[in-house]
Amino acid sequence: DQFHDKTPYTIMFGPDKCGEDYKLHFIFRHKNPKTGKYEEKHAKRPDADLKTYFTDKKTHLYTLVLNPDNSFEILVDQNVVNSGNLLNDMSPPVNPPREIEDPNDQKPEDWDERPKIPDPDAVKPDDWDEDAPAKIADENAVKPEGWLDDEPEYDMDGEWEAPQIANPKCETAPGKWKPPMIDNVNYQGIWKPRKIPNPDFFEDLEPFKMTPFSAVGLELWSMTSDIFFDNFIICTERAVADDWASDGWGLKKAADGAAEPGVVGQMMAAAEERPWLWVVYILTVALPVFLVVLFCCSGKKQPSAAEYKKTDAPQPDVVDEDKEEERDKGDKEEEDEEETNEEKLGSDADIGSASQEEEEDEDEDRKPASEEEETVNRSPRNRKPRKD
């Protein structure tokens, strides 16, 4: 009943999300041994990017390790994200400086802080005219014809005036003369108050020995839903904390891994949060398919006979293999048929009459003169083209 929001704390540790700022606090309240007052000491910010731990909607384990040698480690999911020493890496430092600036010290009136001064021996040149105007009337200008000088002052034209041109004397002059700057021989440097012993100085070499505490409190102020926490442990042995982490958080991590969606599910979830990813997915899938189809459909085609007829250019003497085999087969059938006829004619000559012999003679006259002539006549080059 005595524990409330104003109860002083010794250590503040844990994650803190404020807008787009993701923090992991480690703050401890140090007691000044001279005055008895407490002052907050903040650890330096981690170098690691903590955003993932706040946005991936997974279970995480936060650990703070304080050692008697004043060293500390901050871990997330048993991975070190920050480390340091209570004496060197806290802000403001645990121990104040031995000396401070004297608040009563004042800068002397004759203190010269000017590193450079104008050269007192410099003399302005005799022909230096600082009073000459920057622009003068153009001596070569001619008043236009018809300019009405006698008309009222506020008429359209008014009294004619020559245009202004740059003063040629000022072209080479740098303007108002100033003496060059030289080193100040009386330069005394930037004035600072003198140092005096710090009346509030103390030295605590064991800040690890913090103010005892007897309770764990949760500071909750969140506009984010679905945040859960449990299993807090404070102990003096790191091995014990590691065992508890394996038995508790380790099982939750394994369960989270088993329940994680596959690659496709993760891609779909990411696209729901960032709709523009759908365009990336479509291009990633459609582009390879389009290239494959284009490659398969762009094969080289043999020109048709009709295309040959459209040009008088010479064409290669190439015969399709299928047509060549078909022609060879036809030639072989013709040879077999003629051989059969020859055998039949020979048999008829032995048993036939004289008239049959005459007919046989006529058949002999119709036969090719020799096998060589038959081969030549059947050559593809001497054969007339046929229609297939």
Side-chain angles (χ1 to χ4, degrees):
D1 58 352
Q2 297 178 357
F3 187 63
H4 50 79
D5 60 337
K6 303 300 181 182
T7 301
Y9 67 89
T10 297
I11 295 176
M12 181 186 293
F13 172 71
D16 179 16
K17 178 180 181 296
C18 183
E20 290 299 316
D21 191 8
Y22 305 92
K23 301 178 182 179
L24 181 52
H25 289 296
F26 166 40
I27 306 171
F28 81 96
R29 295 173 73 246
H30 180 261
K31 184 179 180 179
N32 188 316
K34 293 188 67 174
T35 63
K37 295 181 178 180
Y38 286 88
E39 186 178 23
E40 289 185 351
K41 309 296 181 180
H42 296 247
K44 63 180 182 179
R45 290 181 66 102
D47 295 331
D49 185 7
L50 304 177
K51 182 177 180 179
T52 303
Y53 302 119
F54 290 84
T55 58
D56 60 4
K57 300 180 181 180
K58 295 182 180 179
T59 301
H60 296 290
L61 175 66
Y62 296 89
T63 307
L64 170 64
V65 179
L66 293 174
N67 298 308
D69 62 356
N70 297 316
S71 63
F72 68 86
E73 287 183 327
I74 299 175
L75 302 88
V76 180
D77 298 345
Q78 296 183 309
N79 297 316
V80 177
V81 298
N82 198 3
S83 62
N85 190 283
L86 299 178
L87 290 173
N88 306 321
D89 300 300
M90 306 301 290
S91 179
V94 170
N95 295 313
R98 291 180 178 272
E99 292 184 332
I100 61 171
E101 293 180 350
D102 185 359
N104 300 319
D105 191 14
Q106 295 181 354
K107 182 173 67 172
E109 294 182 357
D110 59 348
W111 190 275
D112 196 343
E113 293 182 329
R114 300 174 299 168
K116 298 253 183 202
I117 59 173
D119 186 357
D121 299 328
V123 179
K124 181 173 65 173
D126 294 336
D127 58 349
W128 197 284
D129 189 359
E130 294 181 355
D131 299 327
K135 287 193 174 183
I136 61 175
D138 188 358
E139 297 177 354
N140 299 321
V142 179
K143 181 172 65 174
E145 294 182 2
W147 197 277
L148 304 177
D149 290 334
D150 299 330
E151 289 296 317
E153 182 178 358
Y154 294 102
D155 196 8
M156 181 66 68
D157 290 337
E159 185 178 354
W160 182 85
E161 295 180 359
Q164 296 286 308
I165 61 173
N167 189 343
K169 295 181 179 180
C170 296
E171 291 181 357
T172 57
K176 188 174 181 179
W177 183 86
K178 295 180 181 180
M181 303 297 288
I182 61 173
D183 293 335
N184 184 2
V185 295
N186 297 320
Y187 176 65
Q188 295 174 272
I190 304 299
W191 183 86
K192 293 181 180 180
R194 66 174 177 268
K195 296 283 187 177
I196 60 173
N198 186 358
D200 298 324
F201 173 76
F202 65 84
E203 189 173 36
D204 180 3
L205 299 180
E206 296 180 312
F208 168 76
K209 297 180 179 180
M210 302 178 184
T211 304
F213 55 87
S214 56
V216 174
L218 302 178
E219 182 181 1
L220 304 178
W221 183 51
S222 176
M223 293 179 288
T224 304
S225 60
D226 299 331
I227 295 180
F228 305 94
F229 43 88
D230 62 2
N231 295 348
F232 296 88
I233 178 175
I234 300 174
C235 61
T236 58
E237 298 293 335
R238 184 167 181 174
V240 175
D242 290 340
D243 290 341
W244 275 77
S246 300
D247 295 340
W249 172 79
L251 299 179
K252 291 184 178 182
K253 181 182 178 182
D256 286 345
E260 269 189 3
V263 176
V264 176
Q266 294 178 4
M267 293 175 63
M268 297 287 287
E272 290 180 0
E273 297 180 0
R274 294 175 286 273
W276 57 267
L277 286 175
W278 286 113
V279 179
V280 179
Y281 296 161
I282 293 174
L283 292 177
T284 304
V285 175
L287 185 59
V289 173
F290 172 76
L291 293 177
V292 171
V293 173
L294 182 64
F295 178 78
C296 295
C297 297
S298 62
K300 188 176 181 181
K301 297 182 179 179
Q302 294 293 338
S304 63
E307 292 175 344
Y308 279 161
K309 294 178 181 179
K310 294 179 182 178
T311 177
D312 294 333
Q315 305 296 334
D317 189 10
V318 178
V319 181
D320 190 83
E321 294 182 358
D322 295 337
K323 294 182 179 180
E324 186 68 26
E325 292 180 359
E326 184 178 347
R327 290 178 181 178
D328 293 343
K329 183 177 180 181
D331 293 342
K332 186 175 181 181
E333 291 178 354
E334 290 179 3
E335 291 178 359
D336 294 341
E337 182 178 355
E338 290 180 358
E339 290 178 357
T340 303
N341 292 336
E342 289 176 359
E343 293 177 357
K344 183 177 181 181
L345 290 174
S347 175
D348 292 342
D350 294 339
I351 60 177
S353 59
S355 61
Q356 291 175 336
E357 291 178 0
E358 293 177 358
E359 293 176 357
E360 184 176 353
D361 293 337
E362 293 176 0
D363 292 336
E364 291 291 331
D365 293 337
R366 288 195 298 269
K367 291 178 62 178
S370 65
E371 184 177 358
E372 181 179 359
E373 293 179 356
E374 181 181 3
T375 303
V376 173
N377 290 334
R378 292 176 182 176
S379 173
R381 296 184 178 180
N382 297 329
R383 188 184 297 116
K384 293 181 179 180
R386 66 176 70 179
K387 291 184 178 180
D388 295 333

